[in-house]
Amino acid sequence: MVRCYDAWSQSSGGTAHLRKLWFTASLLSSLQCCNGSVVCWPYSACRLVNETCGFDKKLGVQNSRDHVDLLIQHAHEITGNLTTLHIGTNQLLDEELQWYQQLQRRIREETAGAKALSLVFVEPQPAAMHRLRERARQIEEEGAEITFIEAALCHENAQDQVFYILTDRLYEDFPNYTIPRDRIGFLSSFSKNRITEMVLQYASEQDFLSRPELLDYYVDKVSVRCWDALELLRQAALPPTEIHMLVTDLEGYDTQFLPFFFAMDGFLPLSLTFEHYGQLLPGVVTQWTIKELAHRGYIVYCHRQDIIAIRLGPDSFDATHRIHSLYRSARARVASLPTFEEQRQRFRERGPKSVETFAWRFISPCLPIVLATHRFGDIGEDCPSTSQLPKIGGGGGPLQLPAGSVLAVGAQSLQALVNFSPWLRSKLVLVVGRPSSPSTLPSLRKQIRDLLKSRFVLHVFMQGPELSHPDYEALPLGLDPHLQLDRTEARKQSNLLRIKIGEGPWKRSLGDNKSAAIANARYVMREGETGDLTESCCWEALAFGTITISKYAKELYAPIFCKGAVLVHDDEDLRQLSLSLPSQGAALYKKPSRDQLLVAFWKLRVSLAMKKIKGVALPTVCELLRG
């Protein structure tokens, strides 16, 4: 497989030049608006123009979680293991290796060891197969079952077929060649011209652009076994109906071979991944392939060089159309909401302010109470209007809440609600308060999963992004209700502000020098590059239009901060970015949307959760934000 070097996953060994490129790209991707990675909805017209998708697009964080959750759900439903056929594995990319490891762990944990991931790896190169077997032990150690087939997928069966491989001798003569040396083995194909084109694409004037014929010396020929699609499945003892995931990486031949699988009776995998980049057939064939997948009930995404198609199951037609309808409706309703600036102006004009006035307009620690229609147990005792919410629980017997009920519950009362959940008789949405101690998170995740097993619990919102599940979503911790949002926002004059955490509590008045400095800056981060601002501080910075730079886990916090934060990988990434921003921050800065700071925005999301299909995620926060 030929891939652009991923400085995120390989940052420890990347060059300084590539690291700088990644920092800039990461920042831009955080600040620029993107329409998401969906290429085609099931049964839609799929109006594809020009290229299938650009390299800047990738499967969104929420979509990636939904993909895994759907596979886990399917693992519960089938009688055997979850089976993946991966053709053209080479030695496995690091990201692929990690994906299979994590998926196996989830299957093992959530089926109590009753199910496993069954992998069939198909690779024709003897040397690559040897490396693949060694690396695959890491997946086997997690409990996965792996079958190795040393063969190539071809149009017809043959014992000896010429296969071309680019060798690492290239670096002996051209040590500065761009493709990282540890990935040179991924360049292989039945087409010699294909290898030549890819090598020249990454070459520079100092390499061999003036004499491309020199490349012949660095391309070796090997003889490999060839099987067509039917024979390959026969050799693997794998019926088409038992392929739950299909992954192909055929170096330009993907769209040529997929039709052979489509023609098989019962072939309808839950997930299908193939390369769209560098196909030998015209681009229109890739578009036809995407349309065929959409017609079969798949949502089709772009993920860098790959196309990922995900099938929602037997009800995919109804489900995806309802999702699409919800998405269009939600965008229209968000557009009708007051903007953050308008809401702040109304707050300013209201006169004397109170905590209650603030809490009903802007997100705060009291958000679960503000969103709820009922409460269970003790929650939000210090929040306004808590006493006005009807309290349930404490007794047995069926409980029929009014339609559209939103139940607030404290994290400390979740287990009691789990015990009470068999008495529920009407569909509801849960909003959960912030857990008091991080040490309780493992038990909280289990309690939330137990609650989500109830058909009456449509969706769970919780203050803290602690779980990956299509029926779970993080709520922001929110702003301090005493924050003086009625002051005029300062003009952005400085690029980067470093905060010293140790010099005292975070000051929340715009009249204080520190808060004025935050409002004046484009970016803010903790000084010393060794830690993060608290979540409430990050939301406060966003209220001033200032973007936080943090090491918070990207997969957990990006879905709620969106363009309001730049999330980096480690201390070194943080240091590099802090060095570059003072000079280039003004050029990159774009004022983030702040709709997620409004209570009205989260009330809208709760109302969407009431209408959703259980097991299917809502449109993401970032997709609905304006700007």
Side-chain angles (χ1 to χ4, degrees):
M1 180 184 289
V2 180
R3 290 182 184 271
C4 295
Y5 184 56
D6 187 346
W8 174 271
S9 62
Q10 302 290 335
S11 59
S12 61
T15 65
H17 174 68
L18 288 171
R19 291 172 66 82
K20 290 178 181 178
L21 286 178
W22 176 81
F23 289 129
T24 302
S26 175
L27 187 59
L28 288 172
S29 67
S30 299
L31 303 183
Q32 292 176 349
C33 179
C34 179
N35 294 324
S37 60
V38 178
V39 177
C40 199
W41 288 91
Y43 309 101
S44 69
C46 301
R47 296 177 180 176
L48 304 176
V49 293
N50 300 326
E51 296 181 4
T52 302
C53 50
F55 286 121
D56 58 328
K57 290 186 177 181
K58 63 179 180 178
L59 194 67
V61 173
Q62 184 62 50
N63 303 130
S64 181
R65 291 179 183 173
D66 296 344
H67 187 189
V68 175
D69 290 331
L70 191 66
L71 295 172
I72 298 299
Q73 179 181 336
H74 193 68
H76 282 285
E77 297 169 355
I78 60 178
T79 56
N81 292 333
L82 191 72
T83 302
T84 296
L85 175 61
H86 190 152
I87 308 174
T89 53
N90 205 289
Q91 63 184 20
L92 278 182
L93 291 174
D94 288 342
E95 61 192 58
E96 294 169 334
L97 181 64
Q98 294 165 8
W99 158 264
Y100 288 133
Q101 284 181 290
Q102 293 167 3
L103 185 57
Q104 167 58 28
R105 289 183 199 131
R106 284 281 305 275
I107 293 174
R108 184 185 62 209
E109 291 170 0
E110 301 199 24
T111 65
K115 304 288 179 65
L117 184 61
S118 179
L119 296 165
V120 179
F121 287 150
V122 181
E123 169 56 43
Q125 301 180 60
M129 177 60 77
H130 177 72
R131 294 191 298 268
L132 173 62
R133 289 178 182 272
E134 291 180 341
R135 286 168 58 80
R137 290 197 188 104
Q138 299 176 57
I139 313 174
E140 290 177 311
E141 289 171 358
E142 300 287 347
E145 299 177 1
I146 305 180
T147 301
F148 299 93
I149 296 180
E150 190 174 315
L153 178 62
C154 303
H155 290 286
E156 58 186 18
N157 300 324
Q159 288 299 316
D160 297 300
Q161 185 74 26
V162 175
F163 196 69
Y164 297 94
I165 302 170
L166 183 67
T167 70
D168 61 3
R169 294 195 306 270
L170 185 73
Y171 286 96
E172 296 175 8
D173 296 331
F174 304 100
N176 295 321
Y177 180 62
T178 305
I179 295 180
R181 183 165 188 154
D182 60 350
R183 299 206 170 191
I184 201 72
F186 290 110
L187 291 174
S188 57
S189 177
F190 280 115
S191 169
K192 187 177 182 179
N193 288 336
R194 161 78 169 172
I195 294 180
T196 301
E197 291 171 1
M198 295 306 300
V199 172
L200 291 177
Q201 178 177 343
Y202 294 101
S204 67
E205 292 292 341
Q206 290 73 35
D207 294 332
F208 34 76
L209 289 182
S210 59
R211 299 183 62 191
E213 67 275 8
L214 290 176
L215 284 178
D216 287 349
Y217 173 72
Y218 304 104
V219 178
D220 284 351
K221 294 190 295 184
V222 297
S223 179
V224 301
R225 179 189 296 112
C226 268
W227 286 330
D228 62 22
L230 287 174
E231 181 62 19
L232 177 62
L233 295 192
R234 191 183 73 81
Q235 292 288 338
L238 186 60
T241 55
E242 294 182 11
I243 301 174
H244 305 126
M245 290 184 287
L246 175 66
V247 181
T248 69
D249 184 5
L250 304 177
E251 297 301 346
Y253 289 88
D254 299 70
T255 53
Q256 293 189 36
F257 287 105
L258 284 175
F260 293 102
F261 289 95
F262 291 156
M264 296 178 183
D265 290 338
F267 177 75
L268 197 65
L270 199 67
S271 169
L272 191 151
T273 301
F274 67 95
E275 277 194 314
H276 71 83
Y277 175 69
Q279 294 299 300
L280 298 177
L281 292 181
V284 68
V285 179
T286 302
Q287 296 182 1
W288 290 341
T289 305
I290 291 171
K291 290 182 180 182
E292 174 66 19
L293 288 165
H295 180 71
R296 289 169 175 253
Y298 289 84
I299 298 178
V300 185
Y301 298 91
C302 179
H303 182 64
R304 299 187 178 97
Q305 291 99 320
D306 293 331
I307 293 294
I308 298 179
I310 302 172
R311 181 172 59 87
L312 293 181
D315 300 323
S316 60
F317 179 86
D318 178 62
T320 53
H321 276 268
R322 283 183 61 183
I323 295 169
H324 212 176
S325 176
L326 266 180
Y327 178 80
R328 290 195 303 268
S329 171
R331 286 300 297 262
R333 292 174 64 184
V334 167
S336 68
L337 295 177
T339 65
F340 175 80
E341 288 79 5
E342 291 170 344
Q343 193 71 292
R344 191 179 63 171
Q345 179 64 26
R346 295 176 186 178
F347 182 69
R348 179 187 300 137
E349 295 170 352
R350 191 176 179 87
K353 310 303 185 301
S354 68
V355 171
E356 182 169 3
T357 303
F358 187 101
W360 284 88
R361 288 180 180 266
F362 306 102
I363 60 172
S364 71
C366 292
L367 186 58
I369 290 295
V370 173
L371 296 176
T373 60
H374 297 75
R375 62 189 174 116
F376 181 92
D378 296 328
I379 178 176
E381 302 301 330
D382 297 330
C383 294
S385 306
T386 300
S387 60
Q388 300 176 19
L389 288 181
K391 189 173 182 179
I392 68 169
L399 177 65
Q400 185 78 31
L401 290 171
S405 294
V406 182
L407 184 61
V409 57
Q412 73 281 359
S413 301
L414 270 182
Q415 185 55 55
L417 183 58
V418 171
N419 299 335
F420 184 80
S421 60
W423 299 113
L424 294 175
R425 290 297 180 271
S426 54
K427 293 182 179 180
L428 54 82
V429 169
L430 292 181
V431 283
V432 184
R434 182 75 173 180
S436 57
S437 172
S439 63
T440 64
L441 289 177
S443 60
L444 287 178
R445 294 188 187 104
K446 181 181 184 304
Q447 291 160 7
I448 292 173
R449 290 188 183 278
D450 288 342
L451 286 167
L452 287 173
K453 292 176 183 178
S454 170
R455 64 189 180 94
F456 296 110
V457 179
L458 289 175
H459 204 78
V460 174
F461 294 88
M462 188 175 90
Q463 287 180 315
E466 308 297 349
L467 186 68
S468 174
H469 193 285
D471 298 323
Y472 174 88
E473 183 172 340
L475 278 179
L477 181 60
L479 304 164
D480 187 318
H482 298 287
L483 180 66
Q484 296 186 23
L485 284 176
D486 54 332
R487 303 290 183 86
T488 301
E489 191 172 297
R491 293 184 61 186
K492 301 295 183 185
Q493 295 179 346
S494 65
N495 282 338
L496 178 63
L497 176 68
R498 293 179 174 88
I499 296 293
K500 291 183 178 180
I501 297 296
E503 68 181 32
W506 182 278
K507 297 181 180 180
R508 292 175 169 80
S509 168
L510 272 175
D512 294 330
N513 291 334
K514 181 173 291 187
S515 290
I518 293 167
N520 181 66
R522 297 181 177 92
Y523 306 94
V524 61
M525 64 185 293
R526 176 174 175 174
E527 190 173 82
E529 300 100 24
T530 57
D532 299 310
L533 298 172
T534 64
E535 186 184 334
S536 60
C537 293
C538 295
W539 291 116
E540 185 174 332
L542 180 58
F544 299 149
T546 303
I547 297 170
T548 303
I549 299 172
S550 169
K551 293 186 301 179
Y552 280 131
K554 191 172 186 178
E555 67 276 10
L556 295 179
Y557 284 87
I560 54 175
F561 280 121
C562 303
K563 293 182 290 183
V566 176
L567 304 178
V568 298
H569 186 52
D570 54 27
D571 290 338
E572 176 60 18
D573 294 344
L574 200 63
R575 188 184 70 83
Q576 292 280 357
L577 191 54
S578 69
L579 293 175
S580 62
L581 272 180
S583 60
Q584 64 177 341
L588 296 174
Y589 175 80
K590 182 178 180 182
K591 191 173 183 178
S593 172
R594 293 177 282 184
D595 287 337
Q596 71 266 54
L597 298 174
L598 302 176
V599 167
F601 180 85
W602 292 98
K603 285 187 174 181
L604 169 60
R605 292 199 68 76
V606 169
S607 68
L608 289 175
M610 283 293 181
K611 301 174 183 178
K612 63 168 283 187
I613 301 169
K614 190 170 173 64
V616 178
L618 292 172
T620 67
V621 169
C622 303
E623 287 174 325
L624 296 185
L625 291 179
R626 292 172 285 201

